[in-house]
């Protein structure tokens, strides 16, 4: 399996190389040259999650990993989940289902991908003897998921930059309480955008990049998208696919999770509409409605994991909508540097064949949490509530709708309490979170300071 960059000017890689690299050297995103077709989708029915995952993921790996290695990685990745089904479905209303993706160790869907790539990285590094340094920027959920996946692994250090004072207490404690020597939680002065900008500085310093073996695990990593394709299959099959179509509604920020739904569709799963659900940071909703992709100011919200203006993985959907024209993508991304671009009529039409969209304001989000609690007894996290509320606008008779519940409500207790006056409790396995000692390093918003800290703290 060959992986190519959306901008067409980076080396062609195999799966393992694309996974370890993250971002392509030309600034683009890696995609498989062709999407394998899934045969015998019906056979996935009632398989354990890990076995369904094996069938969905295997064709993308080429000879990067053996089947035995993948089996071992999947077992280790999902063993610690708090639910035997891993991604259980629950009914919200007639024809509307909730896919619970928050039973992993850090209570957000990010665990599905991060736990798996933690295992795959480990296998690859043991084979090569290579040492790497993972540096990630987070607004909360990616950082804790990455720390949980890479803590204690030999050959790996993991540095996570988060904006000081701007993550929830649960999110912070998940990053600062792991005692492993290879985990480094860095509280940086500034916003999430500053953290991301310093991260890009590190990747653009090619000497530093090579010296510490810098690796990226943010949501543009193809291996993360691939891991998320699996639960579209398991959910659709339990609702009657491949014999009927199924719609999905996805709370969306960086477009990684919903893109996985498009990949499932391109593999042959009968996915009807993919509903892109956004908060007030609605660049994707505006783009799909008007054809104009224009960057505004990030407005902090009660669904912080979707507070994003530049939605990185959208580039992959554009690449397909433009029929793989890397030159056109390079032009769009150059225009983005000066504020935005217009999507061509043909490409917009192609996108609209797969995606519909909607947005919720802050008040509407609180109202949605209240309404689903009243009507179903379910307490949804603010992100999931946005997904479910936008989904109800797009229900179609005879086509089941699945809303992805991306986080556990206890991760966002303040928002939930504002909506319904109840503070959701953490699940039992996390009850000790507030008693453990915290360990973090405060750091200024400065690339040179960051580099020397990394060189000094590395355990390798
Ligand atoms: C990351 C995240 C999202 C957004 O997912 P994308 O793949 O970036 O679109 C939504 N909800 C929660 C809880 C998240 O952590």
């Amino acid at each position: 399996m060959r992986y190519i960059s959306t901008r067409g000017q980076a080396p062609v890689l195999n799966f393992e190389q694309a996974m370890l690299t993250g971002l392509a050297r030309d600034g683009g995103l890696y995609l498989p040259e062709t999407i394998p077709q899934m045969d015998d989708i019906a056979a996935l029915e009632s398989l354990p999650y890990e076995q369904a995952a094996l069938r969905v993921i295997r064709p993308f790996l080429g000879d990067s990993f053996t089947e035995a290695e993948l089996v071992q990685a999947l077992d280790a990745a999902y063993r610690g989940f708090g639910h035997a089904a891993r991604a259980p479905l629950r009914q919200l209303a007639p024809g509307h289902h909730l896919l619970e993706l928050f039973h992993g160790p850090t209570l957000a869907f990010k665990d599905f991908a991060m736990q798996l790539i933690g295992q795959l990285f480990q296998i690859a590094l043991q084979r090569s003897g290579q040492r790497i340094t993972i540096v990630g920027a987070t607004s909360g959920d990616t950082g804790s998921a990455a720390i949980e996946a890479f803590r204690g692994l030999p050959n790996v250090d993991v540095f996570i930059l988060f904006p000081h004072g701007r993550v929830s207490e649960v999110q912070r404690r998940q990053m600062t309480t792991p005692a492993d020597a290879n985990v480094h939680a860095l509280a940086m002065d500034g916003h999430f955008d500053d953290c991301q900008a310093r991260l890009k500085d590190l990747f653009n310093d090619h000497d530093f990049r090579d010296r510490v073996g810098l690796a990226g695990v943010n949501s543009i990593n193809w291996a993360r998208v691939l891991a998320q394709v699996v639960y579209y299959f398991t959910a659709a099959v339990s609702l009657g696919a491949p014999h009927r179509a199924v719609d999905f509604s996805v709370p969306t920020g960086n477009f990684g999770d919903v893109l996985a739904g498009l990949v499932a569709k391109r593999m042959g799963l009968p996915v009807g509409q993919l509903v892109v659900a956004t908060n007030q940071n609605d660049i994707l909703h505006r783009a799909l409605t008007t054809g104009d992709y224009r960057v505004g100011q990030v407005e902090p919200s009660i669904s912080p994991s979707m507070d994003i203006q530049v939605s990185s993985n959208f580039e992959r959907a554009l690449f397909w909508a433009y029929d793989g024209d890397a030159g056109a993508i390079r032009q769009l991304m150059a225009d983005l540097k000066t504020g935005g671009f217009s999507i061509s009529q043909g490409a917009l039409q192609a996108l609209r064949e797969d995606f519909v969209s909607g947005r919720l304001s802050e008040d509407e989000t609180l109202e949605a949490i209240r309404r689903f609690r009243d009507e179903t007894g379910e307490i949804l996290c603010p992100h999931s509530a946005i997904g479910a509320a936008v989904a109800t606008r797009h229900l179609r008779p005879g086509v089941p709708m699945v809303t992805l519940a991306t986080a556990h409500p206890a991760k966002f207790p303040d928002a939930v309490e504002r909506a319904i006056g109840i503070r959701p409790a953490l699940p039992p396995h996390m009850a000790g979170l507030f008693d453990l000692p915290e360990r973090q390093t405060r750091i200024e918003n400065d690339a040179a300071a960051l580099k020397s800290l990394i060189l000094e703290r590395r355990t390798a």
Side-chain angles (χ1 to χ4, degrees):
M1 174 73 51
R2 288 156 47 93
Y3 286 83
I4 55 169
S5 165
T6 48
R7 301 193 196 172
Q9 295 181 325
V12 172
L13 302 180
N14 67 20
F15 175 81
E16 179 179 329
Q17 293 163 329
M19 176 183 82
L20 292 173
T21 304
L23 193 70
R25 290 226 174 206
D26 62 1
L29 278 62
Y30 277 105
L31 272 175
E33 201 167 38
T34 55
I35 298 285
Q37 292 306 295
M38 185 78 184
D39 41 52
D40 209 2
I41 292 171
L44 298 178
E45 207 199 332
S46 63
L47 284 186
Y49 188 85
E50 289 78 356
Q51 288 181 30
L54 176 67
R55 296 192 189 194
V56 173
I57 292 175
R58 180 82 185 91
F60 288 90
L61 304 196
D63 7 314
S64 288
F65 296 93
T66 65
E67 179 152 330
E69 284 171 331
L70 181 57
V71 167
Q72 172 203 330
L74 287 164
D75 282 345
Y78 300 127
R79 197 182 294 142
F81 276 46
H83 197 296
R86 311 310 183 216
L89 265 183
R90 196 188 263 275
Q91 192 164 7
L92 271 185
H96 189 184
H97 306 263
L98 195 68
L99 182 61
E100 294 184 350
L101 300 177
F102 50 69
H103 294 283
T106 72
L107 310 183
F109 82 88
K110 304 284 199 296
D111 287 325
F112 276 89
M114 212 62 95
Q115 285 292 320
L116 181 61
I117 74 170
Q119 297 298 326
L120 294 177
F121 264 65
Q122 197 179 357
I123 294 169
L125 296 177
Q126 265 166 7
R127 227 165 19 206
S128 69
Q130 206 185 333
R131 278 220 41 101
I132 58 161
T133 303
I134 289 170
V135 186
T138 184
S139 57
D141 293 330
T142 291
S144 50
I147 287 173
E148 208 45 52
F150 290 95
R151 61 187 289 189
L153 296 191
N155 297 337
V156 179
D157 275 286
V158 52
F159 290 84
I160 297 297
L161 287 170
F162 66 88
H164 176 69
R166 293 177 200 275
V167 297
S168 82
E169 184 173 4
V170 173
Q171 289 176 321
R172 189 191 73 235
R173 285 181 173 274
Q174 285 181 330
M175 294 188 277
T176 58
T177 55
D180 312 77
N182 73 329
V183 170
H184 316 273
L186 309 180
M188 208 180 83
D189 297 327
H191 290 274
F192 169 63
D193 288 341
D194 298 311
C195 296
Q196 233 181 356
R198 296 297 76 75
L199 182 67
K200 285 199 179 137
D201 291 344
L202 298 191
F203 274 88
N204 289 335
D205 180 342
H206 288 186
D207 285 342
F208 182 81
R209 185 171 175 164
D210 296 337
R211 182 167 169 200
V212 303
L214 206 57
V217 296
N218 50 3
S219 78
I220 51 100
N221 192 304
W222 169 256
R224 280 187 59 185
V225 174
L226 178 58
Q228 292 162 4
V229 174
V230 176
Y231 44 71
Y232 286 89
F233 275 94
T234 59
V237 166
S238 46
L239 292 171
H243 311 298
R244 73 198 293 204
V246 177
D247 292 341
F248 287 88
S249 176
V250 189
T252 301
N254 227 358
F255 211 79
D257 214 6
V258 74
L259 183 87
L262 182 59
V263 175
K265 184 173 184 176
R266 294 177 76 103
M267 290 174 74
L269 187 70
V271 174
Q273 25 178 35
L274 287 161
V275 182
V276 176
T278 76
N279 65 21
Q280 59 194 359
N281 296 294
D282 61 352
I283 181 166
L284 289 165
H285 174 55
R286 283 185 282 115
L288 289 166
T289 313
T290 67
D292 200 31
Y293 187 88
R294 198 134 313 266
V295 180
Q297 275 286 317
V298 175
E299 299 287 345
S301 79
I302 57 171
S303 47
S305 306
M306 312 197 312
D307 290 347
I308 269 180
Q309 279 294 336
V310 177
S311 201
S312 311
N313 277 295
F314 193 50
E315 181 169 337
R316 289 187 164 114
L318 286 169
F319 180 77
W320 283 328
Y322 278 86
D323 284 327
D325 181 352
I329 301 302
R330 281 201 301 278
Q331 185 57 53
L332 297 181
M333 295 303 140
D335 294 346
L336 183 60
K337 292 219 164 91
T338 57
F341 53 80
S342 296
I343 303 168
S344 75
Q345 271 310 315
L348 187 59
Q349 207 176 341
L351 288 167
R352 286 176 179 162
E353 274 164 29
D354 295 316
F355 299 104
V356 294
S357 65
R359 61 100 79 181
L360 248 63
S361 69
E362 292 289 89
D363 284 344
E364 289 169 326
T365 306
L366 290 167
E367 167 57 27
I369 296 173
R370 266 193 297 276
R371 182 158 53 84
F372 284 105
R373 160 82 178 164
D374 288 347
E375 290 174 1
T376 70
E378 294 295 326
I379 300 181
L380 302 180
C381 94
H383 313 77
S384 311
I386 290 173
V390 175
T392 57
R393 302 177 191 159
H394 292 279
L395 292 174
R396 301 189 292 166
V399 184
M401 171 70 80
V402 177
T403 291
L404 273 53
T406 50
H408 192 285
K411 257 195 131 161
F412 303 93
D414 296 334
V416 174
E417 189 172 20
R418 250 176 81 193
I420 57 172
I422 295 171
R423 243 184 131 69
L426 286 171
H429 77 274
M430 289 184 52
L433 191 67
F434 286 85
D435 305 323
L436 294 168
E438 292 191 73
R439 212 164 44 95
Q440 61 181 308
T441 305
R442 186 79 186 271
I443 180 164
E444 62 198 296
N445 178 6
D446 178 72
L450 181 58
K451 284 179 205 166
S452 44
L453 186 86
I454 290 172
L455 289 170
E456 179 193 313
R457 291 286 175 83
R458 279 195 314 154
T459 56

